[in-house]
Amino acid sequence: MLNRVRSAVAHLVSSGGAPPPRPKSPDLPSAPSPQTAAPPEAPRSPPARAGSGSAAPAKTVEARACFSRPTFLQLSPGGLRRADDHAGRAVQSPPDTGRRLPWSTGYAEVINAGKSRHNEDQACCEVVYVEGRRSVSGAPREPSQGQGLCFYYWGLFDGHAGGGAAEMASRLLHRHIREQLKDLSCWSSQKEVTHESLVVGAIENAFQFMDEQMARERRGHQVEGGCCALVVVYLLGKVYVANAGDSRAIIVRNGEIIPMSREFTPETERRRLQLLGFLKPELLGGEFTHLEFPRRIQPKELGQRMLYRDQNMTGWAYKKIELEDLRFPLVCGEGKKARVMATIGVTRGLGDHNLKVCSSTLPIKPFLSCFPEVRVYDLTQYEHCPDDVLVLGTDGLWDVTSDCEVAATVDRVLSAYEPNDPSRYTALAQALVLGARGTPRDRGWRLPNNKLGSGDDISVFVIPLGGPGSYS
């Protein structure tokens, strides 16, 4: 069983043009490091922007910086080319150097099947040291070894309309979190204010400051597009999972599935969007209606009674169709095809400050929230074994893979490895990516059941909750 699983994973990875499995990566320094891609001499592709091919030579360096992969992948020039190959779709993981990501974390990624010019996902994994800001009295603290704290950090950033926002967030969001956590040093037990709530607030503030920085620097640094952000912070015995977008995280513990996030889409946030459109009709520009109808209303249906629902309703009721109801619905479509203002399919994330309705000057950003939902898991409340993991994935994984299928893969792959073998978590990340990507056939990438595999970028972190990772 052991050899069969290892051989199968190795064969699938190599068939995609990737290096052999068992990748490991050096531990990251305690101080945050920039998430650049490969060494400076590595070939880079121009950003996926209109007119980029005719950019002036003076902008060459800036254009090259727009395509990068996570630093911990340590890609050579050849590895970077493989990572950017839509035809081969090689699975990428940190190299086998004898040193690994913090906490024995597993990671794997693969580029899309041609959906965008480059892989617009980004990832970050850091151990970050936080120095205290000041004493409780407000006086500056003297530097001291015991006054700071350390947190572990993982981030997945799924870019859209370009990779600039995702790349910037992967480099800087953990620094904003570090800055916000400095205030923990002056926390004293107060009524109704818990330590946990301060950490949650620090993460929420950091997302907002990251979004504001993108707004300020979007022109000079070509921070195009936006990104969904899924972030995990481990601090003082608790895991904080912050999600803004449609990436997701689950814990698989002794076979049990514990959701640690939910998707934020036009469907799941319909009532929030409609309420904003109702309170601020000027944001709709006279082009959209905040009401929802089962289908688009036709002019000939004026005066007829039709089903509708507004920001207060979960069910449906009837109303008489008026002229304003002929406008385009604020939220249209269903499932993965649902869109805000017929433009964007996610409702939370970072960036998108230049996003406009197609053929219009109407901005969409007011309807998009940068604030994450933060869920907390207390690691000290349960005895974890080496097979208990936290799985983070961009929507490229979850579009074709259910929670139960992920849990089955966790059991199948980890049971084939010794519990103290830290490479088991990278093998699991690779197996999840391969399972969502599928194999190339005549009619595209296919899963074993012959359904279409994911054509999107796929990125996966596997974080062990017991075993080699120490969180004491």
Side-chain angles (χ1 to χ4, degrees):
M1 175 67 177
L2 172 62
N3 291 332
R4 284 203 303 272
V5 172
R6 292 186 176 185
S7 298
V9 173
H11 171 72
L12 285 171
V13 174
S14 61
S15 67
R22 295 295 194 287
K24 301 151 191 172
S25 165
D27 291 328
L28 296 173
S30 58
S33 58
Q35 289 289 295
T36 55
E41 67 273 11
R44 306 288 183 113
S45 300
R49 292 175 62 88
S52 62
S54 59
K59 294 186 178 180
T60 300
V61 174
E62 184 178 25
R64 285 179 176 176
C66 290
F67 173 56
S68 64
R69 302 312 313 139
T71 303
F72 56 73
L73 287 177
Q74 301 181 52
L75 294 180
S76 66
L80 191 65
R81 284 191 293 270
R82 283 193 299 272
D84 203 31
D85 178 17
H86 296 278
R89 299 190 75 188
V91 176
Q92 305 294 325
S93 288
D96 188 356
T97 59
R99 301 176 66 195
R100 296 180 174 85
L101 292 177
W103 211 310
S104 298
T105 298
Y107 177 81
E109 69 171 38
V110 72
I111 196 173
N112 62 80
K115 179 181 177 182
S116 60
R117 184 172 182 180
H118 299 296
N119 188 340
E120 294 180 344
D121 283 1
Q122 288 291 343
C124 179
C125 181
E126 299 275 2
V127 182
V128 185
Y129 179 73
V130 183
E131 294 182 353
R133 195 189 302 277
R134 60 182 64 85
S135 66
V136 177
S137 64
R141 288 183 182 271
E142 293 296 326
S144 168
Q145 187 76 19
Q147 288 176 353
L149 53 88
C150 198
F151 69 87
Y152 287 78
Y153 172 90
W154 300 263
L156 287 181
F157 306 93
D158 183 357
H160 49 258
E167 195 276 335
M168 184 176 184
S170 71
R171 286 188 293 106
L172 299 177
L173 181 55
H174 58 288
R175 301 187 184 188
H176 284 287
I177 294 175
R178 178 185 61 182
E179 186 66 22
Q180 293 303 305
L181 288 176
K182 287 182 178 180
D183 288 325
L184 284 182
S185 61
C186 23
W187 175 81
S188 61
S189 181
Q190 296 180 26
K191 198 174 183 180
E192 299 179 356
V193 179
T194 65
H195 187 275
E196 180 181 299
S197 68
L198 286 175
V199 176
V200 171
I203 295 172
E204 291 170 335
N205 261 350
F207 270 69
Q208 183 179 22
F209 291 145
M210 183 74 256
D211 191 60
E212 291 172 352
Q213 183 177 1
M214 288 180 175
R216 292 192 304 270
E217 301 181 11
R218 64 185 184 273
R219 292 185 179 86
H221 292 78
Q222 292 189 350
V223 184
E224 75 275 16
C227 69
C228 299
L230 176 62
V231 161
V232 173
V233 171
Y234 169 76
L235 178 64
L236 301 176
K238 294 182 179 180
V239 172
Y240 299 81
V241 180
N243 184 46
D246 58 1
S247 298
R248 286 204 300 114
I250 64 171
I251 285 175
V252 181
R253 187 185 70 191
N254 193 27
E256 178 188 6
I257 297 168
I258 305 172
M260 291 302 297
S261 68
R262 63 188 176 105
E263 296 180 352
F264 291 100
T265 66
E267 284 190 322
T268 64
E269 291 215 282
R270 172 187 64 84
R271 294 175 69 182
R272 178 182 72 81
L273 299 172
Q274 288 180 317
L275 177 60
L276 184 57
F278 171 74
L279 295 175
K280 296 188 175 183
E282 66 274 11
L283 296 177
L284 302 174
E287 301 176 29
F288 295 85
T289 172
H290 75 282
L291 300 180
E292 181 184 10
F293 300 92
R295 57 175 173 80
R296 185 75 188 275
I297 304 299
Q298 303 299 316
K300 64 182 180 181
E301 296 174 310
L302 277 170
Q304 297 183 18
R305 288 172 60 80
M306 298 287 293
L307 287 169
Y308 87 105
R309 59 182 178 180
D310 63 15
Q311 66 280 358
N312 299 310
M313 302 168 64
T314 55
W316 295 84
Y318 283 92
K319 77 179 295 287
K320 184 179 179 180
I321 297 300
E322 302 172 3
L323 190 61
E324 292 78 8
D325 299 328
L326 299 180
R327 297 170 181 170
F328 208 86
L330 172 61
V331 176
C332 62
E334 297 180 354
K336 293 297 289 185
K337 294 184 178 180
R339 294 290 183 271
V340 178
M341 294 179 154
T343 304
I344 187 169
V346 291
T347 53
R348 296 202 191 192
L350 303 170
D352 289 314
H353 295 280
N354 293 327
L355 188 61
K356 302 287 195 299
V357 173
C358 184
S359 303
S360 170
T361 59
L362 203 59
I364 298 178
K365 180 65 176 178
F367 290 96
L368 308 181
S369 172
C370 65
F371 284 96
E373 179 182 70
V374 183
R375 297 188 180 182
V376 186
Y377 181 80
D378 191 343
L379 282 174
T380 66
Q381 297 299 307
Y382 193 88
E383 186 79 22
H384 294 90
C385 74
D387 289 356
D388 296 337
V389 293
L390 171 60
V391 177
L392 316 181
T394 54
D395 65 334
L397 171 70
W398 303 110
D399 284 349
V400 298
T401 311
S402 69
D403 291 358
C404 290
E405 289 170 332
V406 168
T409 303
V410 169
D411 178 65
R412 174 176 57 84
V413 174
L414 294 186
S415 64
Y417 286 77
E418 295 295 330
N420 61 352
D421 183 353
S423 67
R424 66 206 305 258
Y425 304 111
T426 291
L428 173 55
Q430 291 174 338
L432 290 170
V433 169
L434 287 164
R437 184 201 69 176
T439 54
R441 298 184 189 172
D442 292 338
R443 293 177 296 131
W445 295 84
R446 295 280 169 172
L447 305 178
N449 59 10
N450 205 37
K451 290 185 178 180
L452 277 175
S454 176
D456 200 355
D457 303 312
I458 311 170
S459 301
V460 172
F461 271 126
V462 175
I463 304 169
L465 301 181
S470 172
Y471 49 83
S472 58

